[in-house]
């Protein structure tokens, strides 16, 4: 769906991770791995998770073919479950459009708590979500809790209050608005640092 080139948020995140001194990155909801591979080519060690075994198998094959297999590991994981990593075990976390899937606010908060747990102190979390300024917000089938289904795909649209709630106990570094795709989808790229 998105091609092989890294997303713009991943390009930004890679630079932010380098600036923060990160060496290990957890890429949540990595899919086929276009951003994981980009991070690995930038010299980062990346652990990619996704709920799709097939996607991660394709990612692993692509990592081998592009010469970065030594910097990429994968784990099948559902974001609604606890992360299978020790406390403070990664320097940075990246999640492009994962938290705005059909997750309840409570599930999103729990996921962010898990991200805080596995991040080292001063670790950086960069994520993107569709927000309430998006053209599909309040269209299609409402599932409540800010979730709307359009074209068979359900999205949890974030308002600013939810972003700020998820940053409680963190340092909220940036909320950057951008657009992606044909609609275009309207998103925020959020950067926050674990205290």
């Amino acid at each position: 769906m998105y091609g092989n080139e890294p997303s713009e948020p991943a390009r930004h995140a890679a630079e932010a991770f380098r600036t923060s001194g990160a060496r290990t990155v957890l890429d949540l909801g990595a899919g086929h791995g276009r951003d994981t591979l980009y991070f690995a080519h930038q010299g980062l060690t990346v652990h990619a998770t996704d709920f799709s075994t097939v996607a991660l198998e394709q990612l692993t094959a692509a990592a081998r073919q592009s010469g970065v297999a030594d910097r990429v590991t994968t784990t099948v994981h559902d974001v609604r479950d606890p992360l299978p990593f020790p406390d403070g075990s990664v320097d940075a976390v990246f999640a492009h459009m994962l938290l705005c899937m059909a997750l309840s606010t409570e599930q999103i908060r729990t996921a962010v708590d898990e991200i805080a747990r596995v991040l080292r102190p001063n670790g950086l979390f960069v994520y993107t979500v569709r927000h309430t300024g998006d053209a599909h917000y309040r269209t299609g089938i409402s599932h409540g809790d800010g979730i709307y289904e359009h074209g068979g795909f359900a999205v949890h649209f974030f308002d600013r209050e939810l972003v700020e709630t998820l940053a409680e106990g963190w340092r909220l570094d940036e909320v950057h608005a951008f657009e992606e795709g044909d609609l275009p989808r309207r998103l925020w790229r959020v950067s926050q640092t674990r205290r």
Side-chain angles (χ1 to χ4, degrees):
M1 176 177 178
Y2 298 109
N4 295 318
E5 291 299 309
S7 66
E8 283 306 313
R11 292 178 190 275
H12 169 85
E15 182 60 34
F17 295 160
R18 275 195 299 273
T19 300
S20 72
R23 291 177 304 202
T24 57
V25 176
L26 177 58
D27 186 0
L28 299 174
H32 297 99
R34 66 180 181 147
D35 293 335
T36 294
L37 296 173
Y38 179 72
F39 294 143
H41 281 290
Q42 299 303 303
L44 296 162
T45 298
V46 192
H47 196 91
T49 69
D50 199 90
F51 70 90
S52 170
T53 303
V54 172
L56 293 180
E57 287 171 353
Q58 291 173 348
L59 191 165
T60 300
R64 274 196 307 269
Q65 290 169 355
S66 63
V68 293
D70 61 327
R71 289 198 293 275
V72 175
T73 54
T74 64
T75 299
V76 175
H77 177 259
D78 187 319
V79 72
R80 295 169 292 191
D81 297 330
L83 287 167
F85 306 104
D87 296 0
S89 58
V90 297
D91 298 328
V93 177
F94 181 74
H96 183 34
M97 290 184 61
L98 175 69
L99 296 181
C100 63
M101 295 184 76
L103 302 169
S104 69
T105 298
E106 182 178 340
Q107 289 170 327
I108 294 166
R109 287 180 177 167
T110 299
V112 172
D113 287 345
E114 274 294 285
I115 290 163
R117 180 185 65 76
V118 302
L119 263 177
R120 65 167 171 76
N122 298 312
L124 183 59
F125 176 33
V126 177
Y127 70 92
T128 64
V129 288
R130 291 173 75 176
H131 61 71
T132 53
D134 188 274
H136 282 164
Y137 178 58
R138 291 189 174 159
T139 67
I141 302 165
S142 173
H143 293 277
D145 197 20
I147 300 171
Y148 292 87
E149 183 180 340
H150 190 276
F153 190 74
V155 173
H156 190 134
F157 293 91
F158 278 47
D159 59 19
R160 183 64 188 236
E161 181 181 357
L162 179 53
V163 169
E164 291 179 1
T165 297
L166 295 176
E168 289 174 3
W170 300 68
R171 184 181 74 228
L172 182 58
D173 301 314
E174 180 187 35
V175 180
H176 172 76
F178 72 103
E179 296 181 349
E180 184 177 82
D182 296 332
L183 185 59
R185 291 180 294 272
R186 292 190 176 150
L187 301 98
W188 282 325
R189 184 190 69 225
V190 181
S191 300
Q192 58 191 55
T193 302
R194 183 181 180 272
R195 295 184 183 215

